[in-house]
């Protein structure tokens, strides 16, 4: 029996070894095959000579990128990764120099990388009417700056070089407000030839192609001043409503036309999800008596909106010199700051705290940043407030002004940047400057003209994503 047991064990070991080999064969055969590039082509972008469009057909690729460089130089540029749809991918190549010959190399990523043939592309000449800028400073934040200028929405780098643009139809262009959204899209609110006609915001992808039209529900006219797009496709928007009112009892005309601001949350399919109307919550006497006397009364003039950290909404009403917090479920007015109905005591700052403000942004719990246009008519300043909403106390924590001082009668914006920095546009005063935490100017655009809103962002491939508003 002992003599026969050894061969049995050997046979069993042989079976185990054979099974292991078969297992190895299965494991090896189950390894995913490498990706492949079936075809690739490059074409000019019809909206922007500083970019190109690479179309690729791939096999078994998780993503596609393009490496690029000027002819004769290293391929030291790289696009963001694009996930194919089926077997196809469209890859934007952005931020090119004008009039330059480039080499493009398509790379398909998956179980390893596959390289395509080298493509060549020559970028075009810039449009003759495209503005030119000079910018600089000792220590600018990295990235790009977005704003509207004339007929263009555009993006510049820290030297002032235009790296992206989108021309809007004559004669009105994109309007004053061109901005990047957290969703990776640009938006603009082009004016209509008839100011009374309802217009709409347009949303564009990084190639400048229109992806959506964003309007107000109920036929109201969208305001150009601000919009916030959300990841689920919905968006917060400010709209105008006009009503005929008898203001003879409050110092106005018997047949005045009063324009108030309506705030809406609209779903991606255009359905109204939430609406808050100043006519339901404010009184005409919240407006300074001197501003109620004409035939057309610009009563509230909403010009900025932002989400507080608790999910409720802050609205800036320029005509009322007021920032208002609105409960986004009940519509309740949570508090009112500034103006004739002010509920706050202001510490460590001048009186009035602010007037005709723009660019209101929430930077942290109990922290608000805004541009005080005319609290001091001789000098507009960006101001940071620490807000104790329960005690109704607002403390001025910091303020930044240009040297020499400027007065922005119209427009302007603020943006919180990493490291306690602040980007400020002084509207029609023609200054755009970045300040460090101590209030020193670390970057500016020289003679930018009227910039209603300036905004820093990190990436041309994903405009607005990961950036503060």
């Amino acid at each position: 029996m002992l003599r026969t047991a050894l061969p049995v064990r050997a046979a069993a070991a042989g079976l185990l070894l054979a099974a292991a080999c078969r297992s190895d064969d299965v494991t090896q055969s189950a390894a995913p095959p490498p990706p492949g590039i079936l075809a690739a082509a490059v074409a000019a972008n019809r909206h922007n000579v500083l970019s190109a469009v690479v179309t690729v057909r791939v096999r078994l690729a998780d993503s596609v990128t393009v490496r690029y460089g000027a002819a004769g130089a290293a391929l030291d540029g790289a696009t963001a990764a694009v996930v194919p749809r089926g077997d196809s991918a469209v890859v934007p190549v952005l931020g090119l120099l004008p009039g330059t010959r480039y080499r493009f190399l398509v790379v398909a990523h998956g179980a390893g990388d596959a390289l395509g043939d080298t493509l060549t592309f020559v970028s075009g000449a810039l449009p003759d009417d495209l503005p030119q800028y000079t910018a600089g400073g000792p220590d600018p934040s990295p990235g790009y700056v977005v704003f509207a200028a004339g007929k263009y929405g555009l993006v510049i780098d820290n030297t002032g070089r235009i790296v992206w643009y989108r021309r809007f139809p004559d004669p009105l262009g994109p309007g004053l407000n061109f901005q990047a959204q957290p969703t990776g899209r640009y938006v603009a609110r082009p004016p209509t030839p008839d100011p009374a006609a309802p217009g709409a915001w347009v949303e564009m992808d990084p190639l400048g192609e229109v992806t959506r039209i964003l309007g107000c529900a109920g036929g109201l006219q969208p305001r150009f001043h601000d919009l916030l797009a959300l990841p689920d496709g919905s968006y917060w928007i400010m709209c105008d409503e006009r009503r005929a009112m008898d203001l003879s009892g409050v110092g106005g005309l018997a047949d005045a036309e009063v324009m108030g601001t309506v705030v809406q949350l609209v779903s991606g399919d255009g359905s109204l999800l939430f609406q808050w109307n100043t006519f339901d919550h404010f009184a005409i006497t919240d407006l300074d008596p001197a501003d109620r006397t004409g035939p057309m009364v610009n009563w509230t003039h909403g010009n900025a909106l932002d989400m507080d950290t608790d999910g409720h909404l802050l609205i800036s009403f320029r005509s009322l010199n007021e920032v208002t917090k609105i409960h986004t479920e009940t519509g309740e007015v949570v508090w009112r700051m500034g103006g004739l109905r002010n509920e706050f005591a202001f510490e460590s700052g001048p009186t009035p705290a602010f007037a005709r403000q723009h660019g209101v942004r929430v930077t942290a719990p109990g922290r608000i940043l805004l541009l005080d246009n005319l609290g001091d008519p001789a000098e507009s300043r960006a101001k940071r407030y620490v807000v104790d909403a329960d005690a109704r106390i607002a403390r001025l924590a910091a303020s930044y002004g240009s040297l020499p001082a400027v007065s922005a009668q119209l427009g302007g914006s603020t943006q919180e940047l990493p490291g306690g920095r602040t980007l400020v546009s002084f509207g029609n005063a023609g200054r755009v400057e970045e300040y460090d935490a101590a209030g020193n100017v670390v970057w500016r655009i020289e003679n930018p003209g009227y910039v209603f809103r300036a905004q820093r962002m990190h990436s041309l491939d994903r405009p607005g994503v990961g950036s503060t508003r």
Side-chain angles (χ1 to χ4, degrees):
M1 295 295 293
L2 291 174
R3 287 194 296 270
T4 62
L6 288 172
V8 169
R9 291 193 189 100
L15 290 173
L16 291 173
L17 178 61
C21 292
R22 287 195 300 272
S23 176
D24 287 344
D25 291 342
V26 170
T27 301
Q28 291 171 4
S29 65
I37 298 173
L38 305 178
V42 59
N45 177 12
R46 64 191 181 116
H47 297 299
N48 180 346
V49 303
L50 303 178
S51 60
V53 185
V54 177
T55 55
V56 188
R57 286 186 59 237
V58 292
R59 180 188 67 247
L60 303 174
D62 300 328
S63 63
V64 180
T65 59
V66 175
R67 300 173 188 168
Y68 61 93
L75 301 180
D76 54 3
T79 68
V82 173
V83 176
R85 293 186 176 182
D87 66 351
S88 300
V90 177
V91 185
V93 185
L94 306 168
L96 303 177
L97 294 168
T100 302
R101 180 177 292 275
Y102 282 92
R103 294 184 302 130
F104 291 168
L105 178 65
V106 178
V107 184
H109 306 277
D113 292 342
L115 305 181
D117 296 331
T118 300
L119 306 173
T120 60
F121 176 77
V122 180
S123 57
L126 292 172
D128 292 337
D129 63 347
L130 190 69
Q132 296 182 7
Y133 298 94
T134 299
D139 187 26
S141 294
Y144 307 96
V145 175
V146 185
F147 55 99
K151 298 173 183 177
Y152 291 90
L154 51 83
V155 183
I156 65 171
D157 67 12
N158 279 332
T159 70
R161 181 177 79 87
I162 293 176
V163 295
W164 189 98
Y165 65 86
R166 170 64 150 84
R167 194 180 194 279
F168 287 76
D170 290 330
L172 300 173
L176 291 174
N177 191 1
F178 181 80
Q179 58 177 283
Q181 290 287 323
T183 54
R185 297 286 189 265
Y186 297 104
V187 293
R189 169 46 170 103
T192 55
D194 178 4
W201 288 76
V202 292
E203 179 188 75
M204 290 148 286
D205 66 16
L207 285 171
E209 296 291 344
V210 174
T211 53
R212 287 197 297 171
I213 303 298
L214 309 175
C216 293
L220 297 179
Q221 185 170 22
R223 298 183 63 75
F224 74 84
H225 298 76
D226 209 356
L227 180 138
L228 175 57
L230 302 179
D232 65 358
S234 62
Y235 55 93
W236 287 97
I237 188 171
M238 292 185 291
C239 319
D240 286 333
E241 181 176 347
R242 300 170 186 262
R243 294 186 184 183
M245 296 180 66
D246 180 359
L247 303 185
S248 58
V250 292
L253 301 178
D255 56 350
E257 182 182 52
V258 177
M259 184 168 67
T261 303
V262 178
V263 181
Q264 294 182 343
L265 177 61
V266 181
S267 71
D269 65 7
S271 303
L272 181 62
L273 302 175
F274 176 88
Q275 177 166 292
W276 187 91
N277 194 325
T278 50
F279 284 102
D280 298 330
H281 296 274
F282 290 170
I284 192 66
T285 50
D286 296 348
L287 183 67
D288 189 276
D291 295 328
R292 308 175 203 154
T293 58
M296 196 286 169
V297 177
N298 186 2
W299 174 35
T300 54
H301 193 104
N303 65 10
L305 56 81
D306 203 18
M307 298 302 299
D308 204 344
T309 56
D310 60 3
H312 302 302
L313 200 65
L314 260 63
I315 308 290
S316 168
F317 295 107
R318 179 185 185 272
S319 294
L320 302 180
N321 306 315
E322 176 179 326
V323 177
T324 309
K325 183 169 182 176
I326 298 166
H327 197 289
T328 52
E329 295 175 2
T330 66
E332 171 194 5
V333 174
V334 180
W335 49 250
R336 303 177 69 174
M337 177 188 294
L340 298 180
R341 300 294 177 260
N342 174 52
E343 299 174 357
F344 283 76
F346 289 93
E347 295 182 346
S348 306
T351 301
F354 50 82
R356 301 311 197 232
Q357 73 285 342
H358 284 76
V360 173
R361 291 292 184 254
V362 176
T363 62
R367 303 291 191 272
I368 296 174
L369 176 66
L370 58 82
L371 177 65
D372 176 12
N373 289 66
L374 297 173
D376 177 354
E379 181 180 16
S380 301
R381 298 185 68 85
K383 293 183 175 180
R384 293 177 176 274
Y385 283 99
V386 177
V387 178
D388 184 338
D390 293 333
R392 294 295 196 264
I393 295 173
R395 177 176 59 85
L396 181 63
S399 69
Y400 315 109
S402 188
L403 290 175
V406 295
S407 176
Q409 303 289 320
L410 300 170
S413 65
T414 63
Q415 184 186 14
E416 164 94 345
L417 300 175
R421 295 181 173 217
T422 309
L423 182 70
V424 183
S425 170
F426 290 91
N428 69 336
R431 299 273 178 87
V432 176
E433 295 179 332
E434 180 183 337
Y435 301 90
D436 65 15
N440 302 306
V441 176
V442 295
W443 181 84
R444 63 157 52 99
I445 308 175
E446 302 295 338
N447 301 314
Y450 182 8
V451 177
F452 177 84
R453 183 184 306 286
Q455 176 190 17
R456 272 205 180 274
M457 68 177 190
H458 305 309
S459 166
L460 296 177
D461 295 287
R462 303 175 69 200
V465 175
S467 305
T468 57
R469 295 181 66 238

